[in-house]
Amino acid sequence: MNVLQQVPRNALVWGIICLFALVAPHALRLPFWVLGVYLLAVGWRWQVYRGRWSFPRRKLKLAMIVSSFVGIYFSYGSFIGLEPTVALLLTAFALKFTELAHRQDAYVLIFLGYFVCLTEFLFSQDLLMTFYSLLCVTLLTTTLVALHQPGQHQFNRRTIRLAFVMLLQALPLMVVLFFLFPRIGPLWKMPTNSHTGTTGMSDFMKPGDIASLTQSDEVAFRVKFEGEIPPSSDLYWRGLVMSKLENGAWSTLGLYSVPAKEARPQAVSTTGDPLIYSVIMEPTNQQWLYGLRYAISSTPGVMATSDFRLISPTPVEVEYIYRARSWTGAELEPKLSEWRRKIETKLPPNANPRSRAFALEMRDAVESDAAFMSLVMNKFTTETYVYTLKPGQLLGRDAIDQFLFESRRGFCEHYASAFVFVMRAAGIPARVVAGYQGGEVNPVNKTVIVHQFDAHAWAEVWIKGRGWVRADPTAAVSPTRIEMGLEEAMESEGSFLSEMPLSPVRYRSVALLNELRLRYDALTYGWQSWVVGFDSGQQMQLLHRVFGEISARTFMAAFIGSWALVLIPVAISLFRGKDTFPMSPADKYYRMFCHRLSLIGLKRVSGEAPGDFARRVVAAIPEETEQVWNITSLYARMAYETGADGNRNDQNALEELIRAVSKFKPKAQRNAGGGLHPPV
Amino acid sequence: MSSAAERRLVGVFSRKGAKRDHTRRLRAGFEKWVNRRIPPAREITLNQRRIFIFPSRIGLFFSVCLLVMLIAAINFESNLSYGLTFLLMTLFIVSILHTYANLSGLTIRALRATPAFPGQLSDFHLMVERSKKRDHFALYFFWPNGSEILVNLVEEDSNRFQLHVPVDKRGWFNPGRLLVESTYPLGLLRCWTWIDLDISALVYPGPLASPDLPGVATDTPDGAAVPVTGNDDFYGFRGYRIGDSLRQVHWKGLAKGQGVQTKQYTAYADRSVWLDWEQFPGAGVEQRLSHLCYWALAFEERSEEYGLRLPGLVIQPASGEKHRDRVLKELALFGFEGATL
């Protein structure tokens, strides 16, 4: 085999490490048999290395490729979509490894590996994931380096150093490119990860759904306000509006059940300063976004619905950033259309007769809808209702009756659902709103972290002259929940995150842990807003801030300047290095002596012995005879005598030499004659 | 351009063979330029004047991969994918410096070349040294038509190695420009130079058997012309002199601690033979030289003394490796300008 085509053993081992490092983050998403292919591939290649087996033959390879394709088709049901594509890529990566014989194969393998690293980002852009991917890139680069180090027949840990150093040197340039490279929209639509499940709130709510959501400590979104953060009790993050009650479950109106002329939101007159904030949402695979009422967004693509919510044009598959402004006091929909009124007062026939009777009776007792609303609220405050995550079974046709008049134990969705039912029963338009309430203020970077356990449901009631008004029966039952959050509200019950004993959020009382958690969260926020969410808008802002007016010239200058700034030190560090024949101090001072003589025309020719040179010098400048011989003999002693009596004498001689040379300042002689020229 | 330099370059560039006129002219221009830039020398230190660097085929393939990655980043609007693509791009750029550093500062020294007969391989002994304590990996040396080798400079500061090149015609053989190449550390860039080392191998005439023995020629002054084969009359020992054949060294005596001694055989002392240019009437120059070469080898094989007479040159009869080498060298260089040294 050509010497250039050999794959050193060191590279092979690094390749195996890469193989497993790359597949690890995908392991849970992949069908288990793909991992089997990995083990087989590595096992086979190892046996080939040991000389036990031979490389798979062409027919066998073909069979493996075809069966992998078939396997992936059956595992995913199609080849379209991100997951099957990535699974194919990963399987190809493993199969390529079995036939790794020449350097050319290794190149293909490593470049495929870089692609695999890229695909990891399409699933997660988490900070930790990024570090892991950087590790994978380092490993792949190490394999590439090991491939070019012939004669390394053993695994060499140190190979990673060069790869690491090179990547470190490349990093600053990457940052420059990252911030300067223009962001353009997608060229064509790519397959998306349609196979992963949705997370967070769902557009269908039956009693108990939100309660189960509150068992998760995952972050739903993070908010950064411009200016003061409003008090927690004002942070009602509207996400979904549920107007339809069927079989004891609330759901949103389907897109096509809204008539065309009702589909656009009514104009809202706004007064006063809005709250301005930006939200970074974690992926949900759903379209709806969260905002305080009444929110409008300036982010391109974000749309508003007729029930004053924000939605994204496509499901949120990766971290998504949008900016919004909210006028919390704005009057929403002062005029209710007939269709809307009908929809928002509709109830399933016959269910919950006691609640209906109660509603009609109470409505008759007061003269206005608003008064009725506070009357019902009062019922929750004055009577013994319990706010609990363990409400017991409340199902069946008359679940609301059961809750209102018998068990009186429930979570926010029970209260909201019962409240809206009673309102509707009295003929007042009302609906359930689902979203999040409150959030944790991170003192590190002044963001509001909204967790899944902040999930909440409340009600909106339409009052003539005031439009849609928020009514939260939970606030009446458990004011602590609204003001302090779920953890405090559930303190006596001890049910907060009871299913997640290891969640860091549970240990908020441990100051150090909490500090660490919040710092990491701040880091994540910075990461998401500056790196993951960096877009052309931010880019323009940044460039304006750094360069002022952006012109092609400043742009190019910045580009070239920054590159020079990085590459020149790299070059210097590369070409520096210890001399292979380092000069001893004695040599150094003797050379200085020769240099001083050369200034007055006495050059020592190469190969001339110090003694011969001294003789010539003395002939030329006789008045320095003593000095010259002193230096020469000192040097000769140090250079040629191997001192048996240790270093101390040497040290003395060196000091003497240094002193003698520094004092030696020869002057040129006019009558030197032929002595100035070396004997040839 | 001198004809010698031309000859040297033929070896380098004849691999692909010029087909068209203008490419030939272009190539000639390049050769002229290369010769001016990298003149032949006994030892050559690689610096920016001599080193060329360009993306390798793998580097171009890698660029295509990067382009695909960039398109993926654009289409998925994934900033981290952008980041990864840019990181690999800048890695490519940083590796320019690393690849260049792997070749720069190296000194390649021509040590010696072993003489060879036409059609055989000559061993060119070279040495590569570094001037700074930096690791150099996978230095690839290749002589067109000859052998190739990969050399590392990691633990030691210099490395001696041999390259084998087949030689063709009698005389001095210069193997042409030597390719020194490196793609370390990432293989994405190819850094190379063609250096013209001032090193030549001596090519002896190809031995050619002649039916009649040259010893029968009448003008041999010693008279005792018939070489006797197989007559090993041992005479005695004398102290070893440089040039004595190692085959005649008294190894057993040496092992016993008697010093290096050479065995002497009486038969040859008075049976020296003259190998004479005039012994092959009618033969051409090359043929005569080939016959002379054949007989020189034959007598050396039998450890008999032989002398050489060429027009304008006489070598007194003797034997031993040194003598043989001298004889063969004269034969190899016969007729060339400034041949004798």
Side-chain angles (χ1 to χ4, degrees):
Chain A
M1 202 195 302
N2 185 321
V3 288
L4 289 176
Q5 279 296 331
Q6 286 159 6
V7 177
R9 186 185 186 187
N10 186 25
L12 192 66
V13 178
W14 280 108
I16 293 173
I17 295 173
C18 283
L19 204 69
F20 286 113
L22 281 173
V23 79
H26 291 283
L28 289 177
R29 279 192 292 268
L30 287 171
F32 67 93
W33 60 265
V34 174
L35 301 179
V37 173
Y38 269 74
L39 290 177
L40 179 78
V42 170
W44 195 311
R45 185 62 186 80
W46 197 248
Q47 291 290 18
V48 171
Y49 170 76
R50 290 176 31 172
R52 301 270 173 93
W53 298 1
S54 58
F55 284 109
R57 283 173 210 291
R58 172 168 277 201
K59 270 185 193 160
L60 185 61
K61 272 193 286 191
L62 201 70
M64 287 199 289
I65 291 167
V66 169
S67 54
S68 299
F69 264 79
V70 171
I72 283 164
Y73 187 82
F74 278 104
S75 298
Y76 289 99
S78 81
F79 288 128
I80 299 158
L82 196 58
E83 279 90 351
T85 315
V86 170
L88 270 180
L89 199 63
L90 283 165
T91 317
F93 189 68
L95 290 180
K96 185 75 200 163
F97 194 79
T98 56
E99 59 156 11
L100 172 60
H102 302 280
R103 204 191 255 189
Q104 305 293 339
D105 305 320
Y107 288 126
V108 174
L109 195 73
I110 291 164
F111 297 166
L112 254 175
Y114 285 133
F115 260 104
V116 173
C117 282
L118 187 108
T119 59
E120 278 164 22
F121 291 136
L122 304 180
F123 293 100
S124 165
Q125 310 205 54
D126 187 58
L127 194 57
L128 284 176
M129 191 62 229
T130 310
F131 276 110
Y132 187 79
S133 282
L134 275 178
L135 174 73
C136 288
V137 169
T138 313
L139 288 174
L140 284 164
T141 311
T142 308
T143 313
L144 200 53
V145 171
L147 200 61
H148 294 92
Q149 293 184 338
Q152 298 263 351
H153 302 306
Q154 272 188 341
F155 174 64
N156 187 350
R157 267 181 304 138
R158 291 210 324 259
T159 316
I160 202 169
R161 258 189 56 196
L162 179 69
F164 184 73
V165 165
M166 287 183 75
L167 284 167
L168 221 56
Q169 290 165 343
L171 213 58
L173 298 178
M174 182 272 264
V175 172
V176 172
L177 263 182
F178 182 85
F179 286 114
L180 293 188
F181 189 83
R183 294 297 193 276
I184 39 180
L187 306 174
W188 65 83
K189 180 86 182 104
M190 299 295 271
T192 50
N193 45 344
S194 46
H195 293 265
T196 44
T198 56
T199 52
M201 212 50 95
S202 132
D203 56 356
F204 178 86
M205 185 186 87
K206 59 183 191 305
D209 278 359
I210 291 187
S212 67
L213 197 57
T214 58
Q215 286 300 329
S216 160
D217 69 339
E218 275 172 40
V219 173
F221 51 91
R222 295 179 177 85
V223 188
K224 178 114 180 160
F225 282 95
E226 272 179 30
E228 284 292 298
I229 300 173
S232 178
S233 54
D234 285 352
L235 299 177
Y236 278 86
W237 305 101
R238 295 169 89 246
L240 290 153
V241 170
M242 298 175 171
S243 303
K244 212 159 72 184
L245 178 62
E246 272 173 2
N247 305 323
W250 290 92
S251 59
T252 54
L253 294 174
L255 187 62
Y256 302 107
S257 57
V258 181
K261 66 173 180 162
E262 300 285 343
R264 310 191 79 224
Q266 277 187 21
V268 177
S269 63
T270 55
T271 49
D273 290 335
L275 289 167
I276 303 171
Y277 52 94
S278 63
V279 180
I280 302 183
M281 228 168 87
E282 293 289 326
T284 57
N285 279 312
Q286 309 277 24
Q287 274 180 277
W288 52 86
L289 309 175
Y290 295 90
L292 301 171
R293 72 164 265 179
Y294 153 73
I296 56 173
S297 174
S298 57
T299 303
V302 174
M303 298 181 291
T305 62
S306 59
D307 42 20
F308 309 102
R309 296 179 300 122
L310 298 176
I311 57 166
S312 144
T314 52
V316 179
E317 283 161 350
V318 289
E319 287 84 351
Y320 183 68
I321 301 188
Y322 56 94
R323 282 173 289 281
R325 282 174 297 161
S326 286
W327 288 266
T328 47
E331 200 177 326
L332 298 180
E333 219 168 357
K335 284 202 190 77
L336 208 59
S337 72
E338 264 318 297
W339 175 83
R340 180 63 73 179
R341 178 180 286 275
K342 217 178 106 197
I343 285 288
E344 308 288 20
T345 53
K346 197 175 166 189
L347 282 179
N350 306 326
N352 302 307
R354 284 178 73 188
S355 305
R356 283 167 193 269
F358 166 79
L360 291 173
E361 186 189 322
M362 296 296 273
R363 178 65 188 86
D364 285 343
V366 290
E367 64 262 29
S368 75
D369 289 353
F372 174 65
M373 200 171 86
S374 37
L375 200 69
V376 177
M377 277 297 193
N378 250 339
K379 178 178 165 64
F380 289 127
T381 348
T382 50
E383 295 176 26
T384 50
Y385 280 90
V386 181
Y387 180 65
T388 173
L389 272 165
K390 300 166 178 166
Q393 283 288 344
L394 284 171
L395 289 168
R397 201 181 65 125
D398 298 331
I400 292 174
D401 276 2
Q402 208 184 333
F403 162 69
L404 268 183
F405 303 107
E406 285 159 32
S407 74
R408 297 175 189 230
R409 290 167 62 83
F411 198 56
C412 58
E413 67 256 47
H414 302 101
Y415 288 98
S417 164
F419 186 81
V420 171
F421 187 91
V422 171
M423 287 294 134
R424 284 192 178 186
I428 304 166
R431 58 200 184 187
V432 173
V433 181
Y436 297 87
Q437 198 281 322
E440 182 184 18
V441 175
N442 187 346
V444 180
N445 59 352
K446 301 280 180 289
T447 53
V448 178
I449 312 164
V450 179
H451 295 93
Q452 292 297 353
F453 58 72
D454 292 317
H456 192 52
W458 61 95
E460 273 182 355
V461 182
W462 189 84
I463 306 285
K464 198 171 174 153
R466 285 167 63 194
W468 289 101
V469 175
R470 182 178 70 221
D472 187 0
T474 308
V477 179
S478 170
T480 329
R481 162 67 184 89
I482 305 307
E483 283 150 23
M484 309 287 287
L486 186 67
E487 187 178 11
E488 281 74 11
M490 291 298 156
E491 202 172 8
S492 57
E493 194 175 275
S495 56
F496 176 70
L497 292 180
S498 57
E499 288 163 24
M500 298 191 73
L502 289 177
S503 163
V505 181
R506 281 194 67 172
Y507 301 99
R508 282 199 276 207
S509 52
V510 183
L512 180 71
L513 282 183
N514 200 36
E515 173 82 14
L516 281 176
R517 182 180 64 86
L518 290 173
R519 287 210 173 272
Y520 182 70
D521 198 88
L523 207 64
T524 304
Y525 179 83
W527 178 251
Q528 290 185 340
S529 58
W530 272 103
V531 179
V532 177
F534 187 75
D535 58 11
S536 50
Q538 260 173 302
Q539 190 175 35
M540 278 301 166
Q541 256 180 25
L542 177 82
L543 294 182
H544 257 295
R545 221 169 43 213
V546 178
F547 303 117
E549 205 53 42
I550 303 164
S551 72
R553 252 174 70 192
T554 51
F555 197 79
M556 283 312 287
F559 201 74
I560 293 168
S562 55
W563 281 54
L565 219 62
V566 174
L567 288 179
I568 290 171
V570 169
I572 291 172
S573 77
L574 267 179
F575 296 107
R576 220 186 39 199
K578 270 191 225 138
D579 286 329
T580 43
F581 303 105
M583 239 190 282
S584 74
D587 288 334
K588 218 171 85 189
Y589 283 96
Y590 184 70
R591 259 172 94 132
M592 199 189 282
F593 163 77
C594 294
H595 175 71
R596 291 212 174 130
L597 285 169
S598 74
L599 290 180
I600 59 163
L602 289 162
K603 277 203 178 65
R604 181 174 161 244
V605 287
S606 78
E608 190 175 14
D612 295 341
F613 180 53
R615 225 162 280 133
R616 201 153 58 78
V617 170
V618 166
I621 40 172
E623 73 276 9
E624 297 279 6
T625 305
E626 199 188 322
Q627 286 283 359
V628 169
W629 279 116
N630 183 27
I631 290 169
T632 305
S633 63
L634 276 171
Y635 173 67
R637 226 173 85 198
M638 295 182 62
Y640 304 118
E641 261 175 42
T642 42
D645 47 346
N647 293 331
R648 217 169 135 234
N649 264 353
D650 261 353
Q651 198 53 45
N652 289 341
L654 178 65
E655 272 165 31
E656 222 174 303
L657 178 69
I658 293 171
R659 218 175 307 127
V661 171
S662 4
K663 268 197 291 186
F664 181 70
K665 290 194 175 82
K667 285 190 189 70
Q669 288 264 319
R670 289 207 171 274
N671 56 351
L676 278 174
H677 301 286
V680 179
Chain B
M1 188 166 62
S2 71
S3 65
E6 242 165 345
R7 223 177 334 114
R8 243 176 256 128
L9 277 165
V10 165
V12 176
F13 297 104
S14 64
R15 275 204 288 180
K16 282 167 190 168
K19 278 179 189 143
R20 292 196 192 130
D21 232 25
H22 67 269
T23 56
R24 198 177 306 148
R25 222 172 318 144
L26 208 70
R27 187 159 294 158
F30 177 71
E31 286 162 17
K32 209 182 250 173
W33 179 70
V34 165
N35 273 335
R36 204 172 48 235
R37 225 175 138 83
I38 316 173
R42 199 71 194 162
E43 63 171 73
I44 290 172
T45 300
L46 303 182
N47 55 21
Q48 71 279 5
R49 271 172 60 83
R50 303 172 195 275
I51 299 175
F52 308 100
I53 189 161
F54 200 73
S56 63
R57 262 188 28 244
I58 294 302
L60 296 178
F61 175 46
F62 185 66
S63 311
V64 173
C65 289
L66 283 181
L67 196 67
V68 175
M69 286 172 90
L70 186 65
I71 290 171
I74 291 172
N75 272 353
F76 283 108
E77 293 187 284
S78 160
N79 269 326
L80 293 184
S81 304
Y82 270 116
L84 177 63
T85 312
F86 295 152
L87 182 66
L88 294 177
M89 272 185 200
T90 50
L91 184 70
F92 197 167
I93 286 159
V94 167
S95 81
I96 297 175
L97 293 173
H98 285 263
T99 310
Y100 177 79
N102 195 42
L103 220 53
S104 89
L106 292 176
T107 301
I108 292 123
R109 227 180 273 275
L111 299 178
R112 63 195 174 85
T114 56
F117 294 98
Q120 285 186 333
L121 295 174
S122 169
D123 302 341
F124 285 83
H125 294 251
L126 304 179
M127 185 163 97
V128 56
E129 328 178 302
R130 60 182 176 187
S131 58
K132 304 272 185 188
K133 285 257 181 226
R134 280 189 278 130
D135 289 356
H136 297 264
F137 275 101
L139 303 167
Y140 175 70
F141 294 90
F142 171 71
W143 244 310
N145 310 323
S147 65
E148 55 187 8
I149 194 167
L150 274 176
V151 174
N152 289 346
L153 282 181
V154 183
E155 304 290 326
E156 54 297 290
D157 291 331
S158 65
N159 197 327
R160 285 156 184 264
F161 59 94
Q162 299 172 29
L163 286 170
H164 317 289
V165 186
V167 296
D168 45 10
K169 285 204 308 274
R170 180 182 68 88
W172 285 114
F173 171 80
N174 182 291
R177 282 187 182 264
L178 171 72
L179 173 67
V180 185
E181 183 184 298
S182 161
T183 59
Y184 180 81
L186 300 185
L188 305 179
L189 289 134
R190 175 174 174 260
C191 192
W192 79 100
T193 181
W194 288 101
I195 56 171
D196 195 356
L197 284 172
D198 191 7
I199 183 172
S200 295
L202 193 60
V203 184
Y204 300 142
L208 188 68
S210 67
D212 48 348
L213 300 173
V216 293
T218 50
D219 59 342
T220 46
D222 298 317
V226 184
V228 185
T229 52
N231 189 352
D232 294 6
D233 285 346
F234 177 68
Y235 168 71
F237 297 109
R238 66 167 163 80
Y240 176 80
R241 284 184 223 137
I242 292 172
D244 284 350
S245 168
L246 289 179
R247 249 177 269 137
Q248 291 171 21
V249 167
H250 182 46
W251 295 110
K252 280 180 189 162
L254 180 64
K256 285 177 194 155
Q258 294 166 353
V260 191
Q261 289 176 312
T262 303
K263 289 183 256 185
Q264 280 190 304
Y265 299 90
T266 47
Y268 318 122
D270 48 355
R271 282 194 197 156
S272 48
V273 183
W274 282 101
L275 305 177
D276 200 321
W277 176 259
E278 302 301 337
Q279 282 167 324
F280 306 97
V285 174
E286 295 302 322
Q287 200 187 343
R288 280 183 201 224
L289 291 169
S290 290
H291 287 317
L292 288 170
C293 175
Y294 171 80
W295 285 111
L297 291 174
F299 286 116
E300 183 60 36
E301 180 67 26
R302 286 176 281 186
S303 302
E304 289 179 33
E305 292 202 346
Y306 53 97
L308 177 69
R309 267 200 216 112
L310 291 175
L313 176 97
V314 174
I315 298 178
Q316 289 303 319
S319 75
E321 271 175 39
K322 208 172 174 183
H323 176 68
R324 181 201 64 190
D325 289 350
R326 189 170 164 222
V327 167
L328 289 179
K329 185 174 179 182
E330 292 303 340
L331 292 175
L333 297 177
F334 179 76
F336 291 122
E337 227 174 300
T340 45
L341 293 168

